[in-house]
Amino acid sequence: YSYVYLFLVMVPLSADVTNPKSRAELLVTIQRVFPSLTYFNLLVLCAGTFAWDDNPEISAEYLLNVNSHSKKEMISEFKEYLNNEISEEDSKKTKSIIAIIGSIRGKKGFKEEIEKVQGVGAVDREKNYISSMQDIHNWLGNDTHYLGYNVFLFEPSTTDTPLARRELSGIPINWDNIPKVEEFSQLFWKRVSGLEEKEKLEKE
């Protein structure tokens, strides 16, 4: 859950984003394997877990670390590859885009809405997970500029993936009504590419 996988020119690299030593080793590996690499156009931070609190191996501290704090640490670790200004010397070098994947559970009022529909205490089994996602939301809020970078915060609801189906197998869910990965991918690329904003402006 806490591993990040980077595919640079189809070379898979992995690291435990919660471990400072592992993050540092990943950076060294990238520098060694790609010595001519100067900056990232896009950094997607989506490592995390939606394991529930009733797993005895999952602590509130771990959830906060892997779901929220690790993303901040990855930005700090890779800052030399992140460009936060428009280059006058190189017209092709633009501001780096950082895309962070959170959860709808981080949005304000989520807990209250679920309790209103399902009853008080309905979110007890995932309250620490919700807190970790709220930490991301409170850190970034809506799409924003963090340290000069273009940052997009995505807070999707449950998405139909093999992992979700496995982890949520004990919950009665009509998967036909759950958004597919392709739907989220289309929204993701439209937003980070600026196409979504362009379409909004055209409608106005």
Side-chain angles (χ1 to χ4, degrees):
Y1 291 124
S2 63
Y3 277 74
V4 59
Y5 295 90
L6 288 113
F7 292 86
L8 300 168
V9 197
M10 300 309 293
V11 178
L13 306 172
S14 66
D16 182 351
V17 296
T18 66
N19 187 310
K21 182 179 178 182
S22 186
R23 291 194 300 264
E25 290 175 347
L26 176 62
L27 180 59
V28 171
T29 301
I30 290 174
Q31 293 168 336
R32 174 176 54 80
V33 177
F34 305 98
S36 61
L37 182 67
T38 57
Y39 86 112
F40 292 155
N41 297 88
L42 172 66
L43 176 63
V44 181
L45 300 174
C46 57
T49 176
F50 64 177
W52 308 123
D53 305 355
D54 54 8
N55 183 335
E57 298 180 1
I58 302 296
S59 66
E61 181 181 10
Y62 175 80
L63 284 168
L64 190 61
N65 191 15
V66 67
N67 286 338
S68 181
H69 293 173
S70 66
K71 294 176 172 62
K72 303 173 189 178
E73 295 298 335
M74 285 293 288
I75 293 175
S76 177
E77 193 74 55
F78 286 85
K79 61 184 178 182
E80 65 181 87
Y81 284 107
L82 297 172
N83 182 46
N84 61 3
E85 60 184 21
I86 303 297
S87 174
E88 296 180 358
E89 300 177 357
D90 186 353
S91 60
K92 294 183 180 180
K93 190 173 183 180
T94 59
K95 283 188 177 184
S96 296
I97 295 173
I98 301 175
I100 296 177
I101 312 300
S103 167
I104 191 174
R105 287 163 170 76
K107 291 186 176 181
K108 185 177 180 181
F110 174 83
K111 291 172 68 174
E112 292 75 13
E113 184 65 26
I114 291 299
E115 288 186 343
K116 183 171 65 176
V117 175
Q118 300 183 15
V120 176
V123 297
D124 280 353
R125 70 191 296 265
E126 53 177 297
K127 61 183 179 182
N128 292 330
Y129 171 79
I130 292 173
S131 294
S132 71
M133 289 303 173
Q134 287 179 332
D135 191 68
I136 298 176
H137 185 90
N138 293 336
W139 168 39
L140 291 174
N142 298 314
D143 298 351
T144 185
H145 295 277
Y146 176 68
L147 300 179
Y149 310 121
N150 290 328
V151 179
F152 295 91
L153 173 61
F154 293 84
E155 296 179 303
S157 58
T158 300
T159 304
D160 188 357
T161 66
L163 176 63
R165 288 193 177 224
R166 185 175 68 248
E167 294 292 325
L168 303 177
S169 60
I171 302 176
I173 295 176
N174 184 350
W175 291 100
D176 291 337
N177 298 329
I178 302 299
K180 307 297 187 236
V181 172
E182 293 77 13
E183 297 175 56
F184 175 73
S185 297
Q186 290 175 3
L187 172 62
F188 176 91
W189 288 113
K190 284 179 68 175
R191 187 169 299 176
V192 299
S193 67
L195 182 59
E196 182 183 57
E197 186 63 27
K198 182 180 179 181
E199 290 179 349
K200 287 182 179 179
L201 292 175
E202 290 176 347
K203 290 180 179 179
E204 293 176 357

